[in-house]
Amino acid sequence: MRIRFWGVRGSIASPGPKTVKYGGNTTCIEVETDEGDHIVLDAGTGIAPLSFTYLSKLPLSCSIFITHTHWDHIQGLPFFVPIFIPNNKIDIYGAFDPISRKSVKDIMSTQMEYCFFPVREAELKAEINYHTLVEKQTVTVGSAKITNILMNHPVLNYGYRIESNGKAMFFTGDNEPLYNIYEPGDDYFAEYENLISFKNGQMYDIIRGVDVLIADAAYTEDEYKIKRGWGHGTIKSTIAMAKAAEVKSLYMTHHEPTRGDDNLEQLYQDALKQYPLSSGTPPFFLAQEGHEIIL
Ligand SMILES: [Zn+2]
Ligand SMILES: [Zn+2]
């Protein structure tokens, strides 16, 4: 299995001299199995440069799994060049959002309406199939099995485990660790604690033992104090997740758009001191655009 980061930025693309090293594109991760099955996690702006590499692999068969439909995870899809080319087959998977009562197809079609984009969905030349997933559904793409689990974010967000030939990875999409909405001493505090540990147990069961965990670590602990409830994790929370799920390595992603390379480097060096590998922390890294992991 080969994994490559095409976009590691959260919220909005942030090109410029301060983000040359880690990259400015929003979320997109390419996964290719040993058999050559093409899987893409999220369609942020990073999917546009990825799409050019697919032009040497036509006709393309490709499966795109959307964690959730916030802009930074779908905005690149209209610029995914293979959708304009006949004989390509693109499968797009995602959730049904119970609040908006819209499926991934509804939301993607809206994004292609003529006031947003010059080419309408009906005019796309590739065969495009939408698939609405239910929680914990496993789908097969070639040699890969992809299983989702509900994460914690303001819109319904699936994390995905991809497994192939005995290797596995998990991507959280956007995720904030569950926290108790009651204060200690409140009537429902203990009950809510039980709910959290039940939900976390289910999540860890899906993530358990993966070779690579890619997780939302958007905030520092200080930032999180004023951004609790915004739906994102921290370096500390992703390390806790990695330990609880006994993963082999951790890549932190969804970097804040205001965070330059120097700032990210500093945060990483501080984290290496604070969470030494000798304390049982799995090896951890900052996700970097263009970086490739071979499993
Ligand atoms: Zn995001
Ligand atoms: Zn989001």
PDB file of all heavy atoms in Angstrom, residues 129-151:
ATOM      1  N   ASN A 129     -20.538   7.311 -10.096  1.00  0.00           N
ATOM      2  CA  ASN A 129     -21.520   6.610  -9.265  1.00  0.00           C
ATOM      3  C   ASN A 129     -21.381   7.075  -7.821  1.00  0.00           C
ATOM      4  O   ASN A 129     -20.280   7.078  -7.281  1.00  0.00           O
ATOM      5  CB  ASN A 129     -21.286   5.094  -9.320  1.00  0.00           C
ATOM      6  CG  ASN A 129     -21.370   4.570 -10.734  1.00  0.00           C
ATOM      7  OD1 ASN A 129     -22.376   4.734 -11.400  1.00  0.00           O
ATOM      8  ND2 ASN A 129     -20.275   3.970 -11.209  1.00  0.00           N
ATOM      9  N   TYR A 130     -22.502   7.465  -7.240  1.00  0.00           N
ATOM     10  CA  TYR A 130     -22.491   7.884  -5.830  1.00  0.00           C
ATOM     11  C   TYR A 130     -22.968   6.732  -4.949  1.00  0.00           C
ATOM     12  O   TYR A 130     -23.874   5.990  -5.328  1.00  0.00           O
ATOM     13  CB  TYR A 130     -23.419   9.079  -5.633  1.00  0.00           C
ATOM     14  CG  TYR A 130     -22.885  10.354  -6.243  1.00  0.00           C
ATOM     15  CD1 TYR A 130     -23.254  10.736  -7.527  1.00  0.00           C
ATOM     16  CD2 TYR A 130     -22.015  11.169  -5.517  1.00  0.00           C
ATOM     17  CE1 TYR A 130     -22.762  11.908  -8.088  1.00  0.00           C
ATOM     18  CE2 TYR A 130     -21.523  12.340  -6.078  1.00  0.00           C
ATOM     19  CZ  TYR A 130     -21.906  12.705  -7.357  1.00  0.00           C
ATOM     20  OH  TYR A 130     -21.417  13.859  -7.902  1.00  0.00           O
ATOM     21  N   HIS A 131     -22.365   6.639  -3.770  1.00  0.00           N
ATOM     22  CA  HIS A 131     -22.741   5.585  -2.825  1.00  0.00           C
ATOM     23  C   HIS A 131     -22.914   6.213  -1.442  1.00  0.00           C
ATOM     24  O   HIS A 131     -21.976   6.835  -0.923  1.00  0.00           O
ATOM     25  CB  HIS A 131     -21.640   4.520  -2.735  1.00  0.00           C
ATOM     26  CG  HIS A 131     -21.220   3.977  -4.069  1.00  0.00           C
ATOM     27  ND1 HIS A 131     -21.786   2.855  -4.639  1.00  0.00           N
ATOM     28  CD2 HIS A 131     -20.284   4.420  -4.957  1.00  0.00           C
ATOM     29  CE1 HIS A 131     -21.212   2.626  -5.817  1.00  0.00           C
ATOM     30  NE2 HIS A 131     -20.300   3.559  -6.035  1.00  0.00           N
ATOM     31  N   THR A 132     -24.094   6.069  -0.891  1.00  0.00           N
ATOM     32  CA  THR A 132     -24.330   6.585   0.463  1.00  0.00           C
ATOM     33  C   THR A 132     -24.056   5.471   1.467  1.00  0.00           C
ATOM     34  O   THR A 132     -24.655   4.398   1.391  1.00  0.00           O
ATOM     35  CB  THR A 132     -25.786   7.072   0.602  1.00  0.00           C
ATOM     36  OG1 THR A 132     -26.008   8.074  -0.403  1.00  0.00           O
ATOM     37  CG2 THR A 132     -26.027   7.672   1.973  1.00  0.00           C
ATOM     38  N   LEU A 133     -23.134   5.745   2.376  1.00  0.00           N
ATOM     39  CA  LEU A 133     -22.712   4.732   3.333  1.00  0.00           C
ATOM     40  C   LEU A 133     -23.516   4.828   4.617  1.00  0.00           C
ATOM     41  O   LEU A 133     -23.909   5.922   5.036  1.00  0.00           O
ATOM     42  CB  LEU A 133     -21.229   4.923   3.675  1.00  0.00           C
ATOM     43  CG  LEU A 133     -20.239   4.799   2.513  1.00  0.00           C
ATOM     44  CD1 LEU A 133     -18.872   5.320   2.933  1.00  0.00           C
ATOM     45  CD2 LEU A 133     -20.154   3.344   2.054  1.00  0.00           C
ATOM     46  N   VAL A 134     -23.734   3.699   5.255  1.00  0.00           N
ATOM     47  CA  VAL A 134     -24.239   3.719   6.630  1.00  0.00           C
ATOM     48  C   VAL A 134     -23.053   3.438   7.551  1.00  0.00           C
ATOM     49  O   VAL A 134     -22.028   2.902   7.113  1.00  0.00           O
ATOM     50  CB  VAL A 134     -25.364   2.683   6.859  1.00  0.00           C
ATOM     51  CG1 VAL A 134     -26.589   3.045   6.034  1.00  0.00           C
ATOM     52  CG2 VAL A 134     -24.897   1.276   6.543  1.00  0.00           C
ATOM     53  N   GLU A 135     -23.215   3.799   8.810  1.00  0.00           N
ATOM     54  CA  GLU A 135     -22.077   3.675   9.722  1.00  0.00           C
ATOM     55  C   GLU A 135     -21.634   2.220   9.859  1.00  0.00           C
ATOM     56  O   GLU A 135     -22.448   1.309   9.897  1.00  0.00           O
ATOM     57  CB  GLU A 135     -22.430   4.224  11.112  1.00  0.00           C
ATOM     58  CG  GLU A 135     -21.175   4.366  11.966  1.00  0.00           C
ATOM     59  CD  GLU A 135     -21.444   4.785  13.405  1.00  0.00           C
ATOM     60  OE1 GLU A 135     -22.604   4.912  13.788  1.00  0.00           O
ATOM     61  OE2 GLU A 135     -20.468   4.968  14.136  1.00  0.00           O
ATOM     62  N   LYS A 136     -20.341   2.042   9.908  1.00  0.00           N
ATOM     63  CA  LYS A 136     -19.652   0.757  10.078  1.00  0.00           C
ATOM     64  C   LYS A 136     -19.801  -0.160   8.870  1.00  0.00           C
ATOM     65  O   LYS A 136     -19.507  -1.344   8.963  1.00  0.00           O
ATOM     66  CB  LYS A 136     -20.132   0.034  11.337  1.00  0.00           C
ATOM     67  CG  LYS A 136     -19.732   0.746  12.616  1.00  0.00           C
ATOM     68  CD  LYS A 136     -20.054  -0.140  13.781  1.00  0.00           C
ATOM     69  CE  LYS A 136     -19.897   0.610  15.069  1.00  0.00           C
ATOM     70  NZ  LYS A 136     -20.544  -0.072  16.158  1.00  0.00           N
ATOM     71  N   GLN A 137     -20.288   0.387   7.763  1.00  0.00           N
ATOM     72  CA  GLN A 137     -20.375  -0.408   6.535  1.00  0.00           C
ATOM     73  C   GLN A 137     -18.963  -0.665   6.007  1.00  0.00           C
ATOM     74  O   GLN A 137     -18.099   0.214   6.073  1.00  0.00           O
ATOM     75  CB  GLN A 137     -21.190   0.371   5.496  1.00  0.00           C
ATOM     76  CG  GLN A 137     -21.492  -0.396   4.235  1.00  0.00           C
ATOM     77  CD  GLN A 137     -22.337   0.440   3.268  1.00  0.00           C
ATOM     78  OE1 GLN A 137     -22.941   1.438   3.656  1.00  0.00           O
ATOM     79  NE2 GLN A 137     -22.365   0.032   2.028  1.00  0.00           N
ATOM     80  N   THR A 138     -18.734  -1.858   5.517  1.00  0.00           N
ATOM     81  CA  THR A 138     -17.453  -2.159   4.864  1.00  0.00           C
ATOM     82  C   THR A 138     -17.693  -2.323   3.371  1.00  0.00           C
ATOM     83  O   THR A 138     -18.597  -3.044   2.966  1.00  0.00           O
ATOM     84  CB  THR A 138     -16.841  -3.452   5.440  1.00  0.00           C
ATOM     85  OG1 THR A 138     -16.561  -3.254   6.833  1.00  0.00           O
ATOM     86  CG2 THR A 138     -15.542  -3.810   4.730  1.00  0.00           C
ATOM     87  N   VAL A 139     -16.913  -1.612   2.571  1.00  0.00           N
ATOM     88  CA  VAL A 139     -17.006  -1.790   1.129  1.00  0.00           C
ATOM     89  C   VAL A 139     -15.661  -2.294   0.602  1.00  0.00           C
ATOM     90  O   VAL A 139     -14.619  -2.070   1.227  1.00  0.00           O
ATOM     91  CB  VAL A 139     -17.403  -0.491   0.389  1.00  0.00           C
ATOM     92  CG1 VAL A 139     -18.787  -0.027   0.787  1.00  0.00           C
ATOM     93  CG2 VAL A 139     -16.397   0.604   0.624  1.00  0.00           C
ATOM     94  N   THR A 140     -15.729  -2.967  -0.519  1.00  0.00           N
ATOM     95  CA  THR A 140     -14.520  -3.528  -1.112  1.00  0.00           C
ATOM     96  C   THR A 140     -14.164  -2.752  -2.377  1.00  0.00           C
ATOM     97  O   THR A 140     -15.027  -2.512  -3.226  1.00  0.00           O
ATOM     98  CB  THR A 140     -14.755  -5.015  -1.479  1.00  0.00           C
ATOM     99  OG1 THR A 140     -15.094  -5.707  -0.264  1.00  0.00           O
ATOM    100  CG2 THR A 140     -13.519  -5.644  -2.074  1.00  0.00           C
ATOM    101  N   VAL A 141     -12.911  -2.345  -2.469  1.00  0.00           N
ATOM    102  CA  VAL A 141     -12.389  -1.727  -3.698  1.00  0.00           C
ATOM    103  C   VAL A 141     -11.161  -2.542  -4.083  1.00  0.00           C
ATOM    104  O   VAL A 141     -10.118  -2.436  -3.436  1.00  0.00           O
ATOM    105  CB  VAL A 141     -12.015  -0.251  -3.487  1.00  0.00           C
ATOM    106  CG1 VAL A 141     -11.346   0.314  -4.740  1.00  0.00           C
ATOM    107  CG2 VAL A 141     -13.228   0.589  -3.113  1.00  0.00           C
ATOM    108  N   GLY A 142     -11.281  -3.382  -5.086  1.00  0.00           N
ATOM    109  CA  GLY A 142     -10.171  -4.257  -5.465  1.00  0.00           C
ATOM    110  C   GLY A 142      -9.735  -5.096  -4.287  1.00  0.00           C
ATOM    111  O   GLY A 142     -10.548  -5.798  -3.670  1.00  0.00           O
ATOM    112  N   SER A 143      -8.458  -4.967  -3.908  1.00  0.00           N
ATOM    113  CA  SER A 143      -7.946  -5.768  -2.791  1.00  0.00           C
ATOM    114  C   SER A 143      -8.184  -5.089  -1.441  1.00  0.00           C
ATOM    115  O   SER A 143      -7.814  -5.630  -0.404  1.00  0.00           O
ATOM    116  CB  SER A 143      -6.442  -5.985  -2.976  1.00  0.00           C
ATOM    117  OG  SER A 143      -5.757  -4.756  -2.782  1.00  0.00           O
ATOM    118  N   ALA A 144      -8.771  -3.894  -1.447  1.00  0.00           N
ATOM    119  CA  ALA A 144      -8.913  -3.122  -0.197  1.00  0.00           C
ATOM    120  C   ALA A 144     -10.302  -3.264   0.405  1.00  0.00           C
ATOM    121  O   ALA A 144     -11.300  -3.338  -0.314  1.00  0.00           O
ATOM    122  CB  ALA A 144      -8.618  -1.653  -0.468  1.00  0.00           C
ATOM    123  N   LYS A 145     -10.320  -3.304   1.729  1.00  0.00           N
ATOM    124  CA  LYS A 145     -11.585  -3.235   2.453  1.00  0.00           C
ATOM    125  C   LYS A 145     -11.602  -1.909   3.198  1.00  0.00           C
ATOM    126  O   LYS A 145     -10.652  -1.579   3.915  1.00  0.00           O
ATOM    127  CB  LYS A 145     -11.706  -4.397   3.435  1.00  0.00           C
ATOM    128  CG  LYS A 145     -11.825  -5.751   2.760  1.00  0.00           C
ATOM    129  CD  LYS A 145     -12.683  -6.708   3.582  1.00  0.00           C
ATOM    130  CE  LYS A 145     -12.913  -8.051   2.903  1.00  0.00           C
ATOM    131  NZ  LYS A 145     -13.094  -7.996   1.461  1.00  0.00           N
ATOM    132  N   ILE A 146     -12.686  -1.155   3.022  1.00  0.00           N
ATOM    133  CA  ILE A 146     -12.773   0.172   3.634  1.00  0.00           C
ATOM    134  C   ILE A 146     -13.969   0.191   4.577  1.00  0.00           C
ATOM    135  O   ILE A 146     -15.103  -0.068   4.163  1.00  0.00           O
ATOM    136  CB  ILE A 146     -12.907   1.280   2.564  1.00  0.00           C
ATOM    137  CG1 ILE A 146     -11.668   1.274   1.670  1.00  0.00           C
ATOM    138  CG2 ILE A 146     -13.036   2.664   3.213  1.00  0.00           C
ATOM    139  CD1 ILE A 146     -11.864   0.751   0.319  1.00  0.00           C
ATOM    140  N   THR A 147     -13.688   0.471   5.842  1.00  0.00           N
ATOM    141  CA  THR A 147     -14.732   0.489   6.871  1.00  0.00           C
ATOM    142  C   THR A 147     -14.790   1.879   7.486  1.00  0.00           C
ATOM    143  O   THR A 147     -13.751   2.477   7.765  1.00  0.00           O
ATOM    144  CB  THR A 147     -14.419  -0.539   7.979  1.00  0.00           C
ATOM    145  OG1 THR A 147     -14.204  -1.803   7.368  1.00  0.00           O
ATOM    146  CG2 THR A 147     -15.566  -0.645   8.982  1.00  0.00           C
ATOM    147  N   ASN A 148     -16.005   2.374   7.697  1.00  0.00           N
ATOM    148  CA  ASN A 148     -16.122   3.719   8.285  1.00  0.00           C
ATOM    149  C   ASN A 148     -16.604   3.660   9.725  1.00  0.00           C
ATOM    150  O   ASN A 148     -17.189   2.667  10.155  1.00  0.00           O
ATOM    151  CB  ASN A 148     -17.071   4.583   7.444  1.00  0.00           C
ATOM    152  CG  ASN A 148     -18.509   4.142   7.604  1.00  0.00           C
ATOM    153  OD1 ASN A 148     -19.104   4.330   8.666  1.00  0.00           O
ATOM    154  ND2 ASN A 148     -19.076   3.520   6.578  1.00  0.00           N
ATOM    155  N   ILE A 149     -16.358   4.743  10.435  1.00  0.00           N
ATOM    156  CA  ILE A 149     -16.891   4.906  11.800  1.00  0.00           C
ATOM    157  C   ILE A 149     -17.183   6.397  11.990  1.00  0.00           C
ATOM    158  O   ILE A 149     -16.443   7.249  11.504  1.00  0.00           O
ATOM    159  CB  ILE A 149     -15.907   4.359  12.869  1.00  0.00           C
ATOM    160  CG1 ILE A 149     -16.443   4.483  14.293  1.00  0.00           C
ATOM    161  CG2 ILE A 149     -14.567   5.065  12.802  1.00  0.00           C
ATOM    162  CD1 ILE A 149     -17.261   3.319  14.737  1.00  0.00           C
ATOM    163  N   LEU A 150     -18.274   6.674  12.690  1.00  0.00           N
ATOM    164  CA  LEU A 150     -18.673   8.060  12.929  1.00  0.00           C
ATOM    165  C   LEU A 150     -17.685   8.737  13.877  1.00  0.00           C
ATOM    166  O   LEU A 150     -17.354   8.198  14.929  1.00  0.00           O
ATOM    167  CB  LEU A 150     -20.081   8.067  13.534  1.00  0.00           C
ATOM    168  CG  LEU A 150     -20.747   9.416  13.725  1.00  0.00           C
ATOM    169  CD1 LEU A 150     -20.968  10.108  12.389  1.00  0.00           C
ATOM    170  CD2 LEU A 150     -22.088   9.223  14.449  1.00  0.00           C
ATOM    171  N   MET A 151     -17.208   9.910  13.503  1.00  0.00           N
ATOM    172  CA  MET A 151     -16.316  10.685  14.350  1.00  0.00           C
ATOM    173  C   MET A 151     -17.107  11.859  14.943  1.00  0.00           C
ATOM    174  O   MET A 151     -18.315  11.959  14.715  1.00  0.00           O
ATOM    175  CB  MET A 151     -15.111  11.187  13.545  1.00  0.00           C
ATOM    176  CG  MET A 151     -14.375  10.113  12.753  1.00  0.00           C
ATOM    177  SD  MET A 151     -13.690   8.741  13.718  1.00  0.00           S
ATOM    178  CE  MET A 151     -12.265   9.515  14.479  1.00  0.00           C
TER     179      MET A 151
END
